[in-house]
Amino acid sequence: MTGKPAGAATQNAEPGVQRCINVACASTYGLRERVYLCPRCGETLEIVCRPAAPGRPEVMRKQWTSRGAQRVLSEDPRDASGVWRYLEMLPFEENAPFVTLFEGNTPLLAAPRSAAYSGLTRLRLKHQGYNPTGSFKDTGMAAALTQAVISGARTAICASTGNTAASLAAYASRSGLQAAILLPRGQVSPSKLAQSLDYGALVLEIDGNFDACMRLVQELGDDPSIYIANSINPFRIEGQKTVAFELIEQCRWQVPDHVVVPGGNMGNSTALGKGFQELLDLGMIDRLPRLSVIQAEGAAPLARLFATLDSRKLISDEFLPEKLVPVENPQTLATAIKIGAPVSWKKALRAVLRAGGQIISVSEQEIADAKAMIGRDGIGCEPASATTVAGIKKLVAAGQIAPTDDVVAVLTGHALKDPDYMIRYHEGTLSSCSSGKEHLPPEPFAGRFRNNPKRVAATKAAILSSLERER
Ligand code: F0G
């Protein structure tokens, strides 16, 4: 076993260390050591970076903004990529073999209809679906594949509900590594599968769900030629945390009251929480936004656990619960978050508790209607992303979010990731079954904002009268 137990001297020239999140263990490992779970205690790891210019927030702020401004004309990843722009905050050297598809730099969009629907005066959507492969995974994959190259791996592997797969496939191709993807057969949107195939990945379909794929990937991580690119890998989190920096920059350094994200394997919530915390630690912001996570009702192990916690007792990491009861057979039409045993649950829970947020679940009907409402803002997203607006509506109704609060929802995937869901919503043929009720027939539910195609005679008069009727 390599690494250093807590307390041992950690003098090295690397721009950070990997550290076990278990405060009682706190062992550290060099950045080049290929470890995913702590070999001493089995807990997940996180990277502690040593920022290049600590204590000089003004300098970093200016530098990030000026790089962003140059991005249209520059091909330097440190200007053009929304990840590498924040190099000072990342565990990589200046001369690292940066892998990039010019990810990040996604818009923060005003969404007035979704705001009114949720009971808010104003709501903004940070749309990570504008990334190169159409989901938020790309920011983390830029960092993970760069580290895979540095570590001399031959194959990058992941378990996926579809988006991680598409992203890994693209970034592995860019970096010349083999991509191997484990998918739950028949449970991935064809659009996502199509992307992985097109980017040239080796796609392996498993008879089992995402959690079974994830367990297999963890077993395969022992092989030195194989690099795990799931969010259990702390380098993925490093890339993904840059969305917190970009968001705060877009808010002109005014911290929003709430940031709300969907929850599946819990990498995204972990990453955002880490990003905000680092800005606070460096004095670049003066408070944390309240970070809340929304799960789908049939795949909500962490929301269930959260409901049983007395958060007043959880101010210290030592009181984090030891175990999460997994959902054995998770169910949701938002297939991206059909996950019963999230690997990063403890890190995500810690981030939410530190930030004073909530973890709740929403129903299939609530997700579907929220998704259609986001569409009415001219924005669109995939079903998993719409849990955010559904969750915000619930949190406003429960008094956890005030109507005039400054709220940002993070949309994680592009609408075209799952066109079949949209067609079925607007046709009125969506139906779902809940976890634990798989023996019952699926329950159909009607979309409140259905928008069916209308058949019309091929004449000018018929078309004009249709327009008039719908105005
Ligand atoms: N939204 C989308 C569109 C996703 O694809 C995922 C996760 C999530 C939200 C949840 O994020 O896992 O970080 O909590 N998708 C993974 C995948 C599991 O394989 O593509 P998380």
Side-chain angles (χ1 to χ4, degrees), residues 136-137 160-161 163-164 263-268 336-337 339 382 384 412:
F136 73 103
K137 307 286 182 182
S160 182
T161 56
N163 279 330
T164 303
N265 216 15
M266 296 296 164
N268 198 26
I337 49 172
I339 294 174
E382 69 168 287
T412 45

Side-chain angles (χ1 to χ4, degrees), residues 37-355:
L37 295 177
C38 176
R40 284 198 169 79
C41 75
E43 197 42 88
T44 44
L45 304 173
E46 66 185 350
I47 290 174
V48 183
C49 295
R50 301 200 184 91
R56 301 182 65 198
E58 245 353 278
V59 176
M60 283 207 277
R61 257 187 232 184
K62 280 207 188 108
Q63 190 145 40
W64 296 345
T65 309
S66 97
R67 286 178 190 153
Q70 288 168 43
R71 77 169 194 266
V72 178
L73 299 176
S74 171
E75 285 177 19
D76 185 331
R78 283 161 298 182
D79 299 327
S81 157
V83 169
W84 300 119
R85 191 146 65 89
Y86 302 102
L87 185 59
E88 290 78 11
M89 303 291 275
L90 297 172
F92 294 93
E93 311 276 2
E94 279 284 334
N95 58 356
F98 302 116
V99 177
T100 188
L101 281 163
F102 300 157
E103 52 290 318
N105 295 312
T106 59
L108 181 62
L109 301 160
R113 288 181 189 83
S114 303
Y117 175 73
S118 318
L120 291 174
T121 318
R122 182 167 90 125
L123 171 64
R124 287 177 294 172
L125 306 176
K126 173 72 175 154
H127 206 326
Q128 293 295 88
Y130 282 58
N131 268 297
T133 75
S135 87
F136 73 103
K137 307 286 182 182
D138 294 343
T139 51
M141 224 41 97
L145 266 294
T146 299
Q147 186 60 25
V149 171
I150 292 171
S151 76
R154 291 177 57 198
T155 300
I157 197 168
C158 72
S160 182
T161 56
N163 279 330
T164 303
S167 183
L168 170 59
Y171 281 81
S173 279
R174 295 298 289 184
S175 55
L177 265 67
Q178 180 188 42
I181 280 157
L182 262 59
L183 298 180
R185 195 165 67 86
Q187 297 180 48
V188 169
S189 147
S191 308
K192 299 177 187 176
L193 177 60
Q195 285 182 286
S196 292
L197 297 172
D198 211 42
Y199 296 133
L202 172 64
V203 175
L204 304 166
E205 297 185 311
I206 303 294
D207 284 318
N209 60 18
F210 169 85
D211 302 305
C213 296
M214 193 65 237
R215 281 192 294 273
L216 275 165
V217 161
Q218 284 179 252
E219 284 177 36
L220 287 156
D222 285 351
D223 186 311
S225 69
I226 295 179
Y227 189 78
I228 299 180
N230 280 102
S231 55
I232 195 171
N233 176 336
F235 288 90
R236 264 280 304 279
I237 303 295
E238 291 305 295
Q240 270 173 226
K241 79 183 180 188
T242 58
V243 66
F245 309 153
E246 189 174 280
L247 171 60
I248 296 290
E249 233 188 321
Q250 283 168 317
C251 294
R252 294 170 198 278
W253 299 93
Q254 300 297 307
V255 179
D257 298 310
H258 299 265
V259 173
V260 183
V261 295
N265 216 15
M266 296 296 164
N268 198 26
S269 31
T270 296
L272 273 151
K274 187 169 195 283
F276 294 133
Q277 186 68 48
E278 288 180 2
L279 292 182
L280 184 72
D281 292 345
L282 285 172
M284 296 180 87
I285 54 175
D286 55 6
R287 65 183 170 116
L288 294 174
R290 285 170 66 182
L291 177 67
S292 291
V293 181
I294 319 294
Q295 297 200 284
E297 228 164 58
L302 199 53
R304 283 192 200 168
L305 175 69
F306 192 82
T308 67
L309 299 179
D310 179 350
S311 54
R312 285 162 306 174
K313 286 201 188 137
L314 288 164
I315 36 175
S316 156
D317 291 355
E318 283 167 57
F319 294 105
L320 281 175
E322 274 309 308
K323 286 220 155 39
L324 176 78
V325 180
V327 172
E328 279 309 323
N329 198 351
Q331 299 292 332
T332 172
L333 296 174
T335 51
I337 49 172
K338 195 172 166 187
I339 294 174
V343 291
S344 298
W345 70 269
K346 209 179 250 189
K347 287 195 260 191
L349 178 60
R350 188 182 62 176
V352 168
L353 290 170
R354 280 183 184 166

